[in-house]
Amino acid sequence: MENHKAEKSYSSYYLIPAVICGVLTGWLVTGSVGYTILGAILGLLTAGFWMNVVVNRGEEA
């Protein structure tokens, strides 16, 4: 039997707001589909950076 608590990580909840904010930023600034897709990709990259660097360092401390 294992007596350890399974820690839940809520870091994946950063992905949806990051995509939404990236899409809205690309659409509001330029209004074109290309920059909207680019904004979504950059939003995902930012969320990935946030999850891997910032959140993981906070859990280690």
Side-chain angles (χ1 to χ4, degrees):
M1 282 195 280
E2 296 181 19
N3 291 331
H4 64 80
K5 288 185 177 181
E7 292 184 21
K8 288 184 125 182
S9 177
Y10 296 105
S11 61
S12 62
Y13 291 123
Y14 294 112
L15 294 176
I16 300 299
V19 171
I20 292 171
C21 290
V23 166
L24 288 177
T25 302
W27 180 66
L28 288 174
V29 170
T30 62
S32 69
V33 175
Y35 283 109
T36 303
I37 294 170
L38 180 65
I41 293 169
L42 291 176
L44 283 174
L45 289 174
T46 304
F49 171 78
W50 183 266
M51 288 186 313
N52 287 329
V53 176
V54 178
V55 174
N56 285 341
R57 299 249 171 127
E59 291 173 355
E60 291 174 1

